[in-house]
Amino acid sequence: MTGFSVLLGVAFIIGIFTFGVFCLFGIWQNWPSFINPPDDEWYFYSQSFIKKILGQKGLIICNYGFGILCILASLFGLFNGVRELMNFS
């Protein structure tokens, strides 16, 4: 494994973790783009589409789930990366 691939992996893990925290923080702070997106933009804005299909409570549940999933995926990637580096010796 080269140093560049390790740095790229770490950057990806940090990015996914940050995005998950950003999603959860946005819901917690009641940001309109996460809680109540505009209804007329459903055809190109995924949050509005989910709100149109599942309603506002469904959108909030999906956003919480996606944020938690991003955090768990980044932690899983970090665990696998550290394990691979330890076995690389």
Side-chain angles (χ1 to χ4, degrees):
M1 203 186 315
T2 65
F4 179 71
S5 62
V6 171
L7 288 177
L8 192 62
V10 169
F12 184 75
I13 289 169
I14 290 172
I16 294 296
F17 184 82
T18 304
F19 187 72
V21 170
F22 181 74
C23 284
L24 294 178
F25 185 75
I27 297 166
W28 179 60
Q29 289 294 317
N30 293 328
W31 290 349
S33 59
F34 289 104
I35 299 295
N36 193 16
D39 291 330
D40 58 342
E41 297 177 357
W42 68 270
Y43 49 87
F44 65 87
Y45 184 47
S46 62
Q47 301 293 325
S48 294
F49 183 73
I50 294 171
K51 181 183 169 190
K52 183 176 176 84
I53 300 295
L54 300 176
Q56 189 170 5
K57 288 192 181 208
L59 171 68
I60 293 170
I61 291 169
C62 284
N63 284 339
Y64 270 123
F66 186 70
I68 291 169
L69 185 67
C70 285
I71 291 172
L72 291 177
S74 68
L75 294 176
F76 180 73
L78 180 65
F79 172 75
N80 280 340
V82 168
R83 188 182 60 167
E84 185 176 329
L85 283 175
M86 290 176 69
N87 292 335
F88 185 66
S89 49

